[in-house]
Amino acid sequence: MAEHTIQFDLTPERKLKPKSEELGFGKVFTDHMFVMDYTEGQGWHNPRITPYQPLTLDPSSMVFHYGQSVFEGLKAYMTEDNRILLFRPERNFQRLNRSNERLCIPELDEELALEALKQLILTEKEWIPNAEGTSLYIRPFIISTEPFLGVAPSSQYKFIIILSPVGSYYKEGIHPVKILVESEFVRAVAGGTGEAKTAGNYASSLKAQEVASRKEYSQVLWLDGLEKKYIEEVGSMNVFFKINGEIITPALNGSILEGITRNSVIELLKHWGMPVAERRISMEEIREAYKSGQLEEAFGTGTAAVISPIGEFFWNGEKMTVNQGATGPTAKKLYDTITSIQNGKEPDPFNWVVEVDQYITAK
Amino acid sequence: MAEHTIQFDLTPERKLKPKSEELGFGKVFTDHMFVMDYTEGQGWHNPRITPYQPLTLDPSSMVFHYGQSVFEGLKAYMTEDNRILLFRPERNFQRLNRSNERLCIPELDEELALEALKQLILTEKEWIPNAEGTSLYIRPFIISTEPFLGVAPSSQYKFIIILSPVGSYYKEGIHPVKILVESEFVRAVAGGTGEAKTAGNYASSLKAQEVASRKEYSQVLWLDGLEKKYIEEVGSMNVFFKINGEIITPALNGSILEGITRNSVIELLKHWGMPVAERRISMEEIREAYKSGQLEEAFGTGTAAVISPIGEFFWNGEKMTVNQGATGPTAKKLYDTITSIQNGKEPDPFNWVVEVDQYITAK
């Protein structure tokens, strides 16, 4: 384990921290980051916490050309009694390894990654904002760094964790968004990389988002790549519908990202005794439910927003309003419960929350 | 145009050039590179030829996370009478702009890009190898550089051209490869990014290639993402079949890369009066042609290999040998003709070749 001892190279220079009310998303980073290298033959090595600094990479580094890149996103919360909480972080590192497998990136030691994250957060604990709705956004990512233009898996990688204090997603309270159902562009298809959290999925989604924004829709709803009938995701979130009392979300099919908030929502709904189904669901079924007055709610789920209520769909020239464009009771209850578990205000019957211990582990 | 004047910052330090016989692919780079920046509001600016050097990028630079990245690949050839030739380079920059459009990257001035390339090549002309089959590989690419974790098009980019002297693709003469027909993984689907030369397409292809290599196949043949019936590409090349005297290549359908070698092959075949068709073609049709003895040839086309004859397909448990595993006459004639046009040994009836003038344009 000697080669896995995390080294600390801390800087006395501390940046000015933004005020809570000025916090945005993903533009301000803390004083330090975690870095670990991979070299073929040697494996992952040299885990270290270093000053936050630019990466120095050869222009031929493979990530620029062939996009071997995976990432995760999660948050740390400061409770009212000054405990630091993470929400199901082990699932992020499990998913990172599933993404690695698809992208031919070497497997990471999940325990070491979680330990590294905890150490980094403790190093940066003064950066965790504590105002309502704020948190410390965590971005673990892996990039291929071998300087080589051959199309092949890289022999060198970097695993990096950076931290960014972020403001409340809903500065004026949780509110519904308008969604354009996408019928030209495709996010992913079975046999592709839709299930992996990899850079290329996001690059390919930008064009549809641009078209939707121009039409004043917040996000696109992605249909399946084969028949363009079945619902997959909304923007970069999973999606749920409440139809005649039952809550339905598309089943994982190989092209849908296995969201951690998605899973938490399903477990909570079951815990509350509400009927929930993971199954294939078509846009036509949504339209019929809308027509018959049975489409009661719709919402997206993801780390950034937690729950994002949907107030309107636009599909094939037809506008469909959900719950009179207001946030529905299920979405609201899920949002309140999950955020309260995340920031330690409510009990955590599922053991989802992981406390970052207030000490540096002796090495 | 003042802001588009290319600045020169040349280094007196020159690296050792590898010997012709030691040249590989894409591992050795020349002394200089071309760089130009893009900033929203300012557009593309500061075009410059600088010493080849590492890029310094914030860890939050968008390319690492959301993969907005496009590239091209072409070659410069040194003729026996010391002229420097490029092969249809304007098509590479046209395609780069088509890739840009799909990836929400700002359009590039194609004339400026070509001028920049010529200036860079003239700066590095001593790096162009002249042994049989060798060339100077050219890699123009664009990456998103804004330090921001929001999923949106970047407001900053870098356009870079790097050069790498490369050896002959066929060190022991042109020879056929064995191909595994891929039936699990998918390269691209209509509505996705298959038509664009973007990093994510290559990242997603690695897994299938890894499986094929383990089974001792050189490349995979990609079927369409919808029905997994129709032929799309082979490895990162376009593909052609000769069936009963007719040459067939899959029609461009939105998920197939529009190869410049592909286009040149079609034009040459027409020029020779050979029947050539761009149409949808299924793997079942290939199998039937094989069974009836009418599958005469198969080959891939691309910048690296020019022509890559295929000697064997493996599909659904069945091995199909093409032309007794030997290079066919059409593949050989195409290879000889195109490479001879590229290196100036044969006349160029199509005006494909662009000579890099032996002077620095006065500014």
Short mmCIF file of all heavy atoms in Angstrom, two decimals, chain B residues 99-120:
data_model
loop_
_atom_site.label_atom_id
_atom_site.label_comp_id
_atom_site.label_asym_id
_atom_site.label_seq_id
_atom_site.Cartn_x
_atom_site.Cartn_y
_atom_site.Cartn_z
N SER B 99 -17.71 19.39 -39.14
CA SER B 99 -17.62 18.81 -37.78
C SER B 99 -17.89 19.91 -36.75
O SER B 99 -18.62 19.69 -35.77
CB SER B 99 -16.24 18.20 -37.54
OG SER B 99 -15.98 17.15 -38.45
N ASN B 100 -17.32 21.08 -36.97
CA ASN B 100 -17.54 22.21 -36.05
C ASN B 100 -19.03 22.49 -35.89
O ASN B 100 -19.52 22.69 -34.78
CB ASN B 100 -16.86 23.48 -36.59
CG ASN B 100 -15.37 23.48 -36.35
OD1 ASN B 100 -14.87 22.77 -35.48
ND2 ASN B 100 -14.64 24.28 -37.11
N GLU B 101 -19.73 22.51 -37.01
CA GLU B 101 -21.15 22.84 -36.99
C GLU B 101 -21.91 21.85 -36.09
O GLU B 101 -22.71 22.25 -35.27
CB GLU B 101 -21.67 22.78 -38.44
CG GLU B 101 -22.87 23.68 -38.70
CD GLU B 101 -24.17 23.02 -38.30
OE1 GLU B 101 -24.20 21.77 -38.29
OE2 GLU B 101 -25.14 23.74 -37.97
N ARG B 102 -21.59 20.56 -36.23
CA ARG B 102 -22.28 19.54 -35.43
C ARG B 102 -21.95 19.65 -33.95
O ARG B 102 -22.78 19.35 -33.10
CB ARG B 102 -21.91 18.14 -35.97
CG ARG B 102 -22.56 16.98 -35.22
CD ARG B 102 -24.07 17.00 -35.37
NE ARG B 102 -24.73 15.93 -34.60
CZ ARG B 102 -25.02 16.03 -33.31
NH1 ARG B 102 -24.73 17.14 -32.64
NH2 ARG B 102 -25.63 15.03 -32.69
N LEU B 103 -20.71 20.07 -33.67
CA LEU B 103 -20.25 20.10 -32.27
C LEU B 103 -20.39 21.48 -31.63
O LEU B 103 -19.86 21.72 -30.54
CB LEU B 103 -18.78 19.63 -32.21
CG LEU B 103 -18.52 18.13 -32.10
CD1 LEU B 103 -19.09 17.56 -30.80
CD2 LEU B 103 -19.07 17.34 -33.28
N CYS B 104 -21.08 22.41 -32.33
CA CYS B 104 -21.28 23.77 -31.80
C CYS B 104 -19.96 24.50 -31.56
O CYS B 104 -19.82 25.26 -30.60
CB CYS B 104 -22.11 23.76 -30.51
SG CYS B 104 -23.74 23.08 -30.72
N ILE B 105 -18.98 24.25 -32.44
CA ILE B 105 -17.69 24.94 -32.37
C ILE B 105 -17.70 26.01 -33.45
O ILE B 105 -18.18 25.77 -34.55
CB ILE B 105 -16.54 23.92 -32.59
CG1 ILE B 105 -16.51 22.90 -31.44
CG2 ILE B 105 -15.19 24.63 -32.73
CD1 ILE B 105 -15.50 21.77 -31.63
N PRO B 106 -17.19 27.21 -33.16
CA PRO B 106 -17.27 28.29 -34.15
C PRO B 106 -16.51 27.96 -35.44
O PRO B 106 -15.45 27.34 -35.41
CB PRO B 106 -16.66 29.50 -33.43
CG PRO B 106 -15.97 28.96 -32.23
CD PRO B 106 -16.62 27.67 -31.89
N GLU B 107 -17.09 28.42 -36.54
CA GLU B 107 -16.52 28.16 -37.87
C GLU B 107 -15.12 28.78 -37.99
O GLU B 107 -14.82 29.83 -37.44
CB GLU B 107 -17.45 28.81 -38.90
CG GLU B 107 -17.14 28.43 -40.32
CD GLU B 107 -18.12 29.07 -41.31
OE1 GLU B 107 -18.88 29.99 -40.90
OE2 GLU B 107 -18.12 28.66 -42.48
N LEU B 108 -14.30 28.10 -38.76
CA LEU B 108 -12.92 28.52 -39.01
C LEU B 108 -12.85 29.12 -40.41
O LEU B 108 -13.55 28.68 -41.32
CB LEU B 108 -12.08 27.24 -38.97
CG LEU B 108 -10.63 27.26 -38.61
CD1 LEU B 108 -10.42 27.79 -37.20
CD2 LEU B 108 -10.08 25.84 -38.72
N ASP B 109 -11.97 30.09 -40.61
CA ASP B 109 -11.70 30.61 -41.96
C ASP B 109 -10.84 29.58 -42.69
O ASP B 109 -9.66 29.38 -42.36
CB ASP B 109 -10.97 31.95 -41.82
CG ASP B 109 -10.59 32.57 -43.15
OD1 ASP B 109 -10.44 31.83 -44.15
OD2 ASP B 109 -10.42 33.79 -43.20
N GLU B 110 -11.45 28.89 -43.65
CA GLU B 110 -10.75 27.76 -44.29
C GLU B 110 -9.49 28.20 -45.05
O GLU B 110 -8.49 27.48 -45.09
CB GLU B 110 -11.70 27.02 -45.25
CG GLU B 110 -12.79 26.27 -44.47
CD GLU B 110 -13.94 25.80 -45.35
OE1 GLU B 110 -13.78 25.68 -46.57
OE2 GLU B 110 -15.03 25.53 -44.79
N GLU B 111 -9.56 29.39 -45.64
CA GLU B 111 -8.38 29.87 -46.38
C GLU B 111 -7.23 30.18 -45.44
O GLU B 111 -6.08 29.87 -45.72
CB GLU B 111 -8.74 31.13 -47.18
CG GLU B 111 -9.40 30.79 -48.50
CD GLU B 111 -9.72 32.05 -49.29
OE1 GLU B 111 -8.88 32.98 -49.30
OE2 GLU B 111 -10.80 32.08 -49.90
N LEU B 112 -7.58 30.79 -44.31
CA LEU B 112 -6.55 31.09 -43.31
C LEU B 112 -5.94 29.80 -42.77
O LEU B 112 -4.72 29.68 -42.60
CB LEU B 112 -7.14 31.92 -42.16
CG LEU B 112 -6.20 32.17 -40.97
CD1 LEU B 112 -5.02 33.05 -41.39
CD2 LEU B 112 -6.93 32.80 -39.80
N ALA B 113 -6.79 28.81 -42.55
CA ALA B 113 -6.32 27.53 -42.01
C ALA B 113 -5.34 26.87 -43.00
O ALA B 113 -4.30 26.35 -42.61
CB ALA B 113 -7.50 26.60 -41.73
N LEU B 114 -5.68 26.94 -44.30
CA LEU B 114 -4.82 26.33 -45.31
C LEU B 114 -3.50 27.10 -45.44
O LEU B 114 -2.43 26.51 -45.56
CB LEU B 114 -5.56 26.26 -46.66
CG LEU B 114 -4.85 25.53 -47.79
CD1 LEU B 114 -4.39 24.14 -47.38
CD2 LEU B 114 -5.76 25.44 -49.01
N GLU B 115 -3.61 28.42 -45.37
CA GLU B 115 -2.39 29.25 -45.41
C GLU B 115 -1.51 28.94 -44.19
O GLU B 115 -0.29 28.79 -44.32
CB GLU B 115 -2.80 30.74 -45.43
CG GLU B 115 -1.65 31.73 -45.34
CD GLU B 115 -0.76 31.76 -46.57
OE1 GLU B 115 -1.18 31.19 -47.61
OE2 GLU B 115 0.36 32.30 -46.48
N ALA B 116 -2.13 28.82 -43.04
CA ALA B 116 -1.39 28.51 -41.80
C ALA B 116 -0.67 27.17 -41.96
O ALA B 116 0.50 27.02 -41.60
CB ALA B 116 -2.34 28.46 -40.61
N LEU B 117 -1.40 26.20 -42.53
CA LEU B 117 -0.80 24.88 -42.72
C LEU B 117 0.41 24.96 -43.65
O LEU B 117 1.47 24.38 -43.38
CB LEU B 117 -1.85 23.91 -43.29
CG LEU B 117 -1.31 22.56 -43.72
CD1 LEU B 117 -0.64 21.85 -42.54
CD2 LEU B 117 -2.43 21.68 -44.29
N LYS B 118 0.26 25.71 -44.75
CA LYS B 118 1.37 25.83 -45.69
C LYS B 118 2.59 26.49 -45.03
O LYS B 118 3.72 26.04 -45.19
CB LYS B 118 0.93 26.65 -46.91
CG LYS B 118 -0.02 25.92 -47.84
CD LYS B 118 -0.38 26.84 -49.01
CE LYS B 118 -1.34 26.17 -49.99
NZ LYS B 118 -1.72 27.10 -51.08
N GLN B 119 2.33 27.55 -44.27
CA GLN B 119 3.44 28.25 -43.60
C GLN B 119 4.13 27.32 -42.60
O GLN B 119 5.35 27.31 -42.48
CB GLN B 119 2.91 29.48 -42.86
CG GLN B 119 2.27 30.53 -43.76
CD GLN B 119 3.28 31.29 -44.60
OE1 GLN B 119 4.48 31.11 -44.46
NE2 GLN B 119 2.77 32.11 -45.50
N LEU B 120 3.33 26.55 -41.88
CA LEU B 120 3.91 25.64 -40.90
C LEU B 120 4.75 24.57 -41.60
O LEU B 120 5.86 24.24 -41.16
CB LEU B 120 2.79 24.97 -40.07
CG LEU B 120 3.27 23.99 -39.00
CD1 LEU B 120 4.11 24.69 -37.92
CD2 LEU B 120 2.09 23.27 -38.34
#
